[in-house]
Amino acid sequence: MLDYERSLSLDFEESSYIEKDGYTVRDVSYLSPHGGKVPAYLVVPKTDGPFPAVVFMHPGQGNRTTFLAEAEALALKGIVSLLIAAPALRNDYPNDLSEEQMLNLMVETITNIGQYTQTVIDIQRGVDLLCSLENIDINRLAYIGHSLGATWGGVLAGVEERIKSYVLMAGFSSVSEWHKTSEHPLATLIRAKLSREQFNKFISELEPLDAIHYINKATPASLLFQFVHDDEFVPKHQADTFYSVASSPKEISWYKTDHLFTSCDSAYQERTKWIIKQLGLNNN
């Protein structure tokens, strides 16, 4: 389900760029094997390469700008960043939908299995893009994903050998279990909207993609898990399972904040320091 054709043209395009003090933010896109273009930001230092690189994937509540400030800070330390927009954000929806129509559309989007496999494959194509650039050190690649980005980053870690280090923030070890058991309003809405047959089909297609089937195959890549106490989405047992089944080397940290790590400077500082160390750079 996660195979993709690397021989396809990247069809890499740059639509605009912004010059900043020490780096450039480029608005780019590349071809998705599932069709259409993958919008992304490519943040490139102005110093000489070759550069290590980080791929970012935002939470479901975010977009490709979510980690932009973080990527800009990394650029000043000599790191390229690629910030990708998830497939669900690439659709143009009508503005005049009723609340009920919006809810139905949201449920349809969340239960679309194709978007999840596409997320993983589009990230792999992003790695292809980075590896095609002359100023990238392909032996020093890392990944940072949050929520949606961490859940599917856990799958990515089991199938993508070129990425050497992963930071996974508040991800699900088993998103299928969450859909079956969570009392979160979003989970209960989906169960209410789908017929039993539709829901069972969704779960049967989703279960093989749970991160627990992949994260144990991440070695030799290093893993840093960041979780939140009393997370409204990710229960502690899911976090514990994600870490316990993961291959080594691995580390885990817990924080007192919300699911989105709002104003959690300690989590930001820790993952930045960890990524810089993993990429073999000076933390100063």
Side-chain angles (χ1 to χ4, degrees):
M1 293 181 72
L2 293 171
D3 292 336
Y4 74 106
E5 181 56 67
R6 292 190 185 183
S7 63
L8 285 172
S9 169
L10 279 164
D11 199 14
F12 175 57
E13 295 180 353
E14 180 178 319
S15 60
S16 64
Y17 65 91
I18 300 174
E19 296 280 357
K20 297 201 174 185
D21 187 14
Y23 59 92
T24 303
V25 179
R26 304 180 182 277
D27 190 346
V28 304
S29 64
Y30 58 91
L31 185 66
S32 169
H34 283 230
K37 293 280 191 174
V38 182
Y41 289 121
L42 186 66
V43 185
V44 183
K46 288 184 178 178
T47 54
D48 295 330
F51 305 109
V54 177
V55 180
F56 285 93
M57 177 54 72
H58 57 79
Q61 300 91 332
N63 53 50
R64 61 179 171 150
T65 68
T66 300
F67 283 106
L68 187 54
E70 199 159 319
E72 291 175 327
L74 291 178
L76 295 176
K77 297 181 179 295
I79 300 172
V80 166
S81 292
L82 181 69
L83 304 97
I84 299 169
L89 300 184
R90 303 175 204 162
N91 300 318
D92 292 324
Y93 298 118
N95 296 321
D96 57 349
L97 296 178
S98 67
E99 181 178 353
E100 183 66 18
Q101 289 173 319
M102 284 296 297
L103 289 175
N104 290 336
L105 185 59
M106 180 176 65
V107 171
E108 180 181 344
T109 299
I110 291 173
T111 57
N112 178 5
I113 296 295
Q115 71 163 324
Y116 300 133
T117 57
Q118 182 175 1
T119 297
V120 177
I121 290 171
D122 286 352
I123 296 169
Q124 291 187 284
R125 286 301 278 166
V127 176
D128 290 347
L129 169 59
L130 289 172
C131 291
S132 74
L133 302 177
E134 293 183 357
N135 61 345
I136 299 298
D137 182 348
I138 63 173
N139 295 312
R140 292 192 292 166
L141 302 179
Y143 175 88
I144 297 177
H146 183 182
S147 192
L148 175 148
T151 300
W152 302 108
V155 175
L156 179 74
V159 298
E160 179 52 70
E161 297 179 351
R162 294 169 293 180
I163 296 176
K164 307 304 182 185
S165 303
Y166 291 82
V167 178
L168 304 177
M169 306 165 55
F172 291 108
S173 55
S174 175
V175 70
S176 67
E177 180 196 349
W178 183 83
H179 278 288
K180 289 187 291 185
T181 64
S182 176
E183 293 304 315
H184 188 279
L186 180 58
T188 58
L189 171 68
I190 292 170
R191 292 196 295 267
K193 286 285 186 180
L194 298 182
S195 68
R196 176 172 295 184
E197 181 180 0
Q198 289 172 323
F199 184 74
N200 288 341
K201 180 176 184 295
F202 168 56
I203 294 299
S204 68
E205 293 175 345
L206 188 59
E207 282 180 336
L209 296 175
D210 282 338
I212 53 173
H213 304 310
Y214 298 87
I215 197 64
N216 60 330
K217 303 177 180 69
T219 187
S222 54
L223 306 169
L224 172 62
F225 293 88
Q226 293 188 311
F227 289 109
V228 172
H229 294 289
D230 301 319
D231 192 315
E232 64 174 302
F233 284 98
V234 183
K236 188 176 185 301
H237 76 271
Q238 284 244 14
D240 290 338
T241 299
F242 212 167
Y243 178 74
S244 66
V245 302
S247 58
S248 295
K250 58 186 176 181
E251 300 177 32
I252 187 170
S253 295
W254 290 86
Y255 305 91
K256 289 188 177 296
T257 183
D258 57 20
H259 178 72
L260 295 178
F261 287 74
T262 304
S263 301
C264 190
D265 289 341
S266 59
Y268 162 67
Q269 292 168 2
E270 183 170 350
R271 67 176 168 270
T272 299
K273 182 178 180 180
W274 189 85
I275 280 289
I276 289 171
K277 179 181 178 181
Q278 297 299 314
L279 295 177
L281 297 176
N282 192 320
N283 272 294
N284 295 331

